[in-house]
Amino acid sequence: QVQLVESGGGLVQAGGSLRLSCAVSGTTLSTNVMGWYRQAPGRLRELVARILSGGSTNYADSVKGRFTISRDGAKNTLYLQMNSLKPEDTAVYYCNARNYLNEYWGQGTQVTVSS
């Protein structure tokens, strides 16, 4: 059974940093496209960043240069380093794993950025 468990969210002032973690069990990171999504109140869930099985990364334009996605195969954990946070980054952040057959989501972690 695949499980994704996010942690690291919280309240931070604008300009601050947070690092989100997603502990993965039941599958390995390198066999999936791993991604971070976010959903703000009243808005659709959107892709923030993803890392492909080969290691290449993609970012939403709104976070380029501020966020960094990475993975640790030994720990089977996905990370999202978020710097220079802005109030508009406030959302629930979700970890996602997707392969040819299946897609999995974590329960989400709240990130709130105060101005």
Side-chain angles (χ1 to χ4, degrees):
Q1 182 178 0
V2 176
Q3 287 189 318
L4 284 64
V5 180
E6 301 99 335
S7 60
L11 174 64
V12 64
Q13 287 188 333
S17 298
L18 283 174
R19 188 177 80 155
L20 305 183
S21 300
C22 174
V24 179
S25 59
T27 188
T28 54
L29 300 184
S30 61
T31 62
N32 292 272
V33 175
M34 299 298 302
W36 287 98
Y37 288 72
R38 67 187 180 187
Q39 187 167 17
R43 302 190 66 175
L44 296 175
R45 191 172 296 188
E46 62 175 0
L47 175 68
V48 175
R50 65 179 180 178
I51 183 166
L52 306 185
S53 55
S56 58
T57 57
N58 302 116
Y59 295 91
D61 288 344
S62 59
V63 307
K64 281 181 181 176
R66 300 188 297 123
F67 291 10
T68 302
I69 189 172
S70 63
R71 65 188 183 190
D72 185 329
K75 296 181 178 179
N76 220 36
T77 300
L78 181 73
Y79 301 99
L80 184 68
Q81 178 67 43
M82 305 186 294
N83 299 327
S84 302
L85 282 161
K86 304 175 181 180
E88 50 264 44
D89 295 318
T90 295
V92 178
Y93 284 70
Y94 297 91
C95 179
N96 174 270
R98 178 169 55 85
N99 58 41
Y100 180 72
L101 295 175
N102 296 291
E103 183 173 31
Y104 307 95
W105 292 92
Q107 82 287 352
T109 185
Q110 177 70 45
V111 171
T112 302
V113 184
S114 63
S115 57

